[in-house]
Amino acid sequence: MSTAMFAVAAIAVLIAMALSMVRAFVGPTVFDRILAVNVSGTLTVVLISVYGFLDGRPDFLDIALLYALINFIGTIAVSKYMKFGSLGHPHDSNDEGDV
């Protein structure tokens, strides 16, 4: 019973990932695309976790947590780069600085 539940959850996550990738390709602004890629990364974390429990290897949670951390840092870095044009400190002292 729980195997069927995890399989249905994995299929639902895959469908949600497909929809988020559609938004990533169609998104009207670059921030919509960044958000869609972030959602896809978050769903990948869920998919890794579900697959780990489906396969009977809950130690995949460590991999999922590491992937979530990389996804978060990557999203912040890309968002900062898109807003300021650089990942370092702003050149103008009147600029706001970090996001």
Side-chain angles (χ1 to χ4, degrees):
M1 178 64 184
S2 70
T3 303
M5 181 182 70
F6 285 128
V8 170
I11 291 170
V13 168
L14 287 173
I15 291 171
M17 286 177 71
L19 292 174
S20 70
M21 291 311 292
V22 168
R23 173 53 70 189
F25 287 118
V26 175
T29 66
V30 71
F31 294 107
D32 290 333
R33 292 179 175 151
I34 291 171
L35 183 62
V37 170
N38 187 21
V39 167
S40 180
T42 303
L43 290 173
T44 301
V45 170
V46 174
L47 187 63
I48 290 171
S49 302
V50 168
Y51 179 74
F53 284 109
L54 187 64
D55 198 32
R57 298 175 62 187
D59 50 344
F60 275 19
L61 284 177
D62 295 336
I63 297 170
L65 288 174
L66 180 65
Y67 189 81
L69 181 65
I70 292 170
N71 184 34
F72 174 73
I73 292 172
T75 301
I76 295 297
V78 170
S79 297
K80 184 175 179 179
Y81 181 78
M82 294 310 293
K83 182 169 181 170
F84 296 112
S86 136
L87 292 177
H89 295 289
H91 300 291
D92 189 13
S93 62
N94 295 331
D95 212 357
E96 296 175 359
D98 286 336
V99 175

